[in-house]
Amino acid sequence: MSNQNVSSDVTGRVLVFGADTRSFLTVARSLGRKGIQVHSVGCRESDPASHSKYITQIHILPEYRIGQDEEWIEKLIRILTAERYDLLIPCADSFIIPLHENRRRIEPLCRMAIPEEQNYDLLFNKCQTHTFISRLSIPAPKSVILDNPDTARERIESLRFPIVIKPGFSVSKQALWRRNTVGRAFDVAEAVQWIANRRDMFPLLAQEFFFGTGVGIEILSKDGEVRTAFQHQRVHEPLHGGGSSYRMSVPIDPDLRRAAESIIRELNYTGAAMIEFRKNLTTGEWIFVEINARFWGSLPLAVSCGIDFPFFLYEMLVRNRNSFPTEYPIHRYCRNWILDFRWMVQNLRADRSDRTLNHSPVIQSFMEWFHLLQFKESSDTWVWDDLWPAIVEFRQFFQHCASELFNRGCFKVSQWKPVRSRKMKTIIKNFQNARSVLFVCKGNICRSPFAQYYADSLWQGEKEFFSAGYYPISERSCPIEAIQAAEDFQVDMRSHRSKTLSDSMIQRADIIFVFDRENHSVLKRSYPYAASKIHYLGRLHNVGSFEIQDPFGQSIQIFHDIYAQITNLLESSLVCKDGEKK
């Protein structure tokens, strides 16, 4: 795929890894506007960012898997040899990891904008980062490192609740497509439950919660010396934490700058980074949160204020430039319209009594739209010199909303008793005639394996029952709560290991049962040719909800209740052709 060049005065060529409409798209636009030719890896035609006029060519690489990466690296080397780039810029951890793993084969061909090898583990392992920050005496919340699930309770009991629990790595080598989520807990029991269900994410970092607002010091440095800096403050951020949908430029806080400079100096860091803090705007107290050693989601704000980090990075690394602008306008805003619309919906529904949620007064959030009329606000995606990414993004958003409304309407109609009874009889008949039955939930460690084993015990070999999940990691064991609850129904799930759903499984099954709307939506979207044989397990009965909720992360009692629901549904289907119970 290629776009027509936007400038006849091409002065360089860069390969940018990414697909998002925040950091990746901003990097492509920043460099493209300066006449630098931008190629990309990671974009698909369906990604709004791929429609930017500043991306001149998109390269496709095979999926990267640790231990099976030879095809990926060989194709990348062929591209690098043919194109002779000045610089490689990855905009996400899922691209930094494979580049780092193969850096000794890549660096002779092209310079990479990733941290030096000696700093890599420290910057991307939150536990190592915490130890490093403690050594520098930079304010941070009281923390404990959890490296063993069996001793986690004892360690977290020393903390004051509520606490935040962070996976050691935002993205793991084994699952580059999955971003590990941060959890919050209000007591020891809740924390232990959260930790027990995330044994594949160890080590973990548990920290006391700090009540404050997210702020970031964005820097460009060379050999440990800061060349330019910018500070943003979050205005809207997800209720439970994460990247902001709305932010503003603020003067650089001298204390935060000193902390950031001490980190950069100690690391002898070269490149762009965003050092994140939380600050109590009332008391002035602040704490260190993390280091983003790559381009960050709030980058569009800095670029719109004239601190053009992507271009400055290119100039510094490729052309050896050392002096950059440092002045920028304050109280300028930047919004991701779609993310902020979702935030506003969540903010309207937020529990105002929960002080840990990042909610705002509703009237204030609506009044902030006047910043547009005052010409004090820009957009992450919508820019006048490159409209197509925003147009495509909005089109996809409205299509998604329309589809959701349609599906909800269909769902309500299908719950009407005459419709439901007729559908139930059809599904039971198909179930009776099926030779191969597939159960699918998200992870294949809670609901679908229980349904598989219980159905097998009922039908005693008359049918083939199997199960899978669309969560892209196999060989996971069931939670201890699932194992213990299943034992009450004479089902042994101790040896079960999860399987990832595949096209061959879909084709092999005569009928497919799912448990909730997410399962149903994912399967129908991913396997449209099999839509006629995908059904809610809850449809085996004509009363109660169609949906069987995911008990993952819940108590043994919740698991027990869900399993009782599944057993009742499966037993209700045990009728012979003459209508009598089997």
Side-chain angles (χ1 to χ4, degrees):
M1 184 192 307
S2 66
N3 295 330
Q4 187 176 0
N5 287 359
V6 299
S7 172
S8 59
D9 183 25
V10 175
T11 56
R13 184 179 294 173
V14 173
L15 183 62
V16 185
F17 292 71
D20 66 276
T21 54
R22 304 179 76 188
S23 60
F24 167 75
L25 181 58
T26 303
V27 170
R29 286 169 167 172
S30 165
L31 300 175
R33 287 171 182 143
K34 304 301 183 185
I36 299 167
Q37 195 176 92
V38 178
H39 291 193
S40 81
V41 166
C43 260
R44 299 161 298 178
E45 193 170 359
S46 59
D47 294 318
S50 72
H51 296 267
S52 172
K53 71 179 186 180
Y54 292 113
I55 297 175
T56 60
Q57 189 167 346
I58 295 176
H59 299 281
I60 306 298
L61 292 180
E63 184 179 352
Y64 183 89
R65 293 182 181 274
I66 297 294
Q68 304 174 29
D69 55 358
E70 196 59 31
E71 183 184 0
W72 184 91
I73 186 62
E74 285 183 355
K75 184 164 184 180
L76 178 59
I77 287 174
R78 286 198 298 271
I79 294 171
L80 299 181
T81 303
E83 300 291 349
R84 303 180 68 83
Y85 296 106
D86 300 317
L87 189 64
L88 304 189
I89 303 178
C91 296
D93 293 355
S94 56
F95 296 107
I96 293 175
I97 290 171
L99 291 174
H100 168 70
E101 293 290 319
N102 295 278
R103 68 193 307 157
R104 294 182 185 179
R105 297 177 66 179
I106 297 172
E107 283 179 331
L109 300 173
C110 185
R111 182 161 190 172
M112 296 189 292
I114 66 174
E116 298 87 348
E117 190 165 11
Q118 64 270 22
N119 289 331
Y120 181 85
D121 289 338
L122 186 152
L123 290 168
F124 288 94
N125 182 331
K126 289 182 174 61
C127 298
Q128 289 194 29
T129 303
H130 166 71
T131 302
F132 168 72
I133 292 300
S134 301
R135 226 171 41 235
L136 296 181
S137 299
I138 292 174
K142 184 178 179 181
S143 310
V144 293
I145 296 173
L146 309 175
D147 49 18
N148 187 336
D150 298 327
T151 60
R153 174 184 284 273
E154 179 183 346
R155 305 216 66 192
I156 61 176
E157 283 177 344
S158 65
L159 299 177
R160 182 182 59 203
F161 284 79
I163 65 171
V164 177
I165 311 171
K166 303 176 180 179
F169 299 91
S170 297
V171 175
S172 65
K173 295 179 184 180
Q174 291 73 27
L176 295 177
W177 51 86
R178 180 191 73 181
R179 189 165 183 84
N180 296 329
T181 56
V182 174
R184 295 185 184 184
F186 290 86
D187 54 46
V188 172
E190 187 177 2
V192 169
Q193 182 72 49
W194 194 93
I195 291 165
N197 290 319
R198 286 160 179 83
R199 290 173 177 260
D200 59 333
M201 295 184 186
F202 272 72
L204 303 174
L205 180 66
Q207 299 182 310
E208 292 181 356
F209 188 86
F210 181 88
F211 293 92
T213 299
V215 296
I217 298 287
E218 305 171 16
I219 61 95
L220 181 72
S221 67
K222 186 174 184 180
D223 299 327
E225 182 182 345
V226 174
R227 303 293 180 171
T228 189
F230 176 89
Q231 183 172 330
H232 73 265
Q233 180 175 305
R234 293 178 172 185
V235 182
H236 299 164
E237 52 187 322
L239 298 185
H240 295 281
S244 62
S245 59
Y246 193 46
R247 62 215 82 92
M248 69 174 175
S249 61
V250 294
I252 294 180
D253 183 308
D255 292 335
L256 300 187
R257 174 157 187 152
R258 278 192 291 271
E261 287 179 336
S262 67
I263 292 170
I264 296 303
R265 188 167 49 250
E266 186 71 18
L267 293 172
N268 197 34
Y269 186 82
T270 294
M274 191 272 281
I275 302 176
E276 188 178 337
F277 302 89
R278 289 193 76 81
K279 183 176 181 179
N280 187 311
L281 302 181
T282 302
T283 65
E285 293 179 293
W286 56 272
I287 53 107
F288 166 86
V289 176
E290 65 181 15
I291 305 170
N292 289 288
R294 52 164 172 76
F295 283 119
W296 46 92
S298 55
L299 180 64
L301 174 62
V303 172
S304 70
C305 289
I307 306 300
D308 196 345
F309 283 107
F311 179 62
F312 293 170
L313 177 70
Y314 177 87
E315 289 277 281
M316 184 180 75
L317 296 182
V318 177
R319 295 175 179 165
N320 205 32
R321 177 180 170 187
N322 292 311
S323 179
F324 302 96
T326 57
E327 300 294 325
Y328 59 88
I330 63 171
H331 298 150
R332 299 285 298 181
Y333 297 81
C334 194
R335 189 190 305 262
N336 186 293
W337 287 353
I338 290 177
L339 290 181
D340 205 53
F341 172 78
R342 290 173 174 156
W343 175 88
M344 293 186 78
V345 172
Q346 293 172 350
N347 188 53
L348 283 170
R349 300 171 175 173
D351 178 3
R352 305 285 159 177
S353 65
D354 186 349
R355 292 179 59 223
T356 68
L357 296 182
N358 299 315
H359 53 70
S360 295
V362 173
I363 293 177
Q364 175 185 312
S365 65
F366 279 103
M367 293 296 292
E368 287 161 352
W369 284 97
F370 282 100
H371 295 148
L372 270 173
L373 301 178
Q374 298 170 320
F375 301 101
K376 295 168 61 176
E377 180 174 318
S378 58
S379 165
D380 286 356
T381 312
W382 189 280
V383 295
W384 291 109
D385 64 328
D386 190 29
L387 291 173
W388 273 108
I391 292 171
V392 173
E393 185 177 52
F394 272 82
R395 184 183 68 201
Q396 292 178 352
F397 175 69
F398 288 123
Q399 287 174 340
H400 173 76
C401 290
S403 176
E404 281 293 305
L405 287 172
F406 177 78
N407 289 336
R408 288 184 184 184
C410 291
F411 191 78
K412 287 187 178 296
V413 169
S414 66
Q415 289 180 308
W416 189 36
K417 194 163 186 178
V419 175
R420 182 167 182 173
S421 295
R422 187 165 61 249
K423 185 70 173 177
M424 179 194 71
K425 292 174 183 176
T426 301
I427 294 173
I428 288 179
K429 181 179 179 180
N430 293 343
F431 186 19
Q432 292 291 320
N433 294 333
R435 291 168 299 174
S436 182
V437 181
L438 171 62
F439 297 98
V440 179
C441 63
K442 183 173 183 177
N444 191 223
I445 55 174
C446 297
R447 292 168 293 177
S448 59
F450 177 83
Q452 172 196 344
Y453 299 137
Y454 193 79
D456 203 40
S457 70
L458 290 177
W459 289 89
Q460 299 177 354
E462 292 182 25
K463 298 180 185 294
E464 177 197 23
F465 294 100
F466 60 113
S467 65
Y470 49 85
Y471 188 71
I473 300 181
S474 301
E475 297 301 318
R476 296 188 304 150
S477 57
C478 297
I480 186 64
E481 295 81 8
I483 294 170
Q484 292 175 356
E487 288 175 351
D488 292 341
F489 301 89
Q490 288 73 54
V491 172
D492 184 357
M493 299 206 300
R494 286 173 294 181
S495 61
H496 175 77
R497 296 296 179 268
S498 65
K499 297 179 181 64
T500 301
L501 186 63
S502 66
D503 190 71
S504 62
M505 292 180 182
I506 295 290
Q507 293 181 14
R508 175 174 141 205
D510 296 317
I511 190 168
I512 302 167
F513 285 114
V514 296
F515 298 83
D516 58 37
R517 270 190 273 189
E518 180 191 305
N519 304 160
H520 194 260
S521 176
V522 169
L523 262 65
K524 284 206 166 186
R525 184 173 64 249
S526 302
Y527 307 98
Y529 63 85
S532 63
K533 60 181 181 181
I534 298 172
H535 306 286
Y536 290 95
L537 184 65
R539 278 189 175 277
L540 290 175
H541 207 285
N542 62 358
V543 295
S545 173
F546 286 172
E547 295 190 90
I548 302 172
Q549 298 302 322
D550 190 353
F552 182 78
Q554 303 298 316
S555 65
I556 293 178
Q557 183 59 50
I558 297 296
F559 272 89
H560 192 280
D561 293 344
I562 293 297
Y563 289 169
Q565 190 178 354
I566 292 172
T567 60
N568 289 336
L569 289 164
L570 290 171
E571 288 173 358
S572 71
S573 69
L574 285 174
V575 291
C576 297
K577 291 182 180 179
D578 59 3
E580 297 298 322
K581 279 280 183 181
K582 187 172 186 280

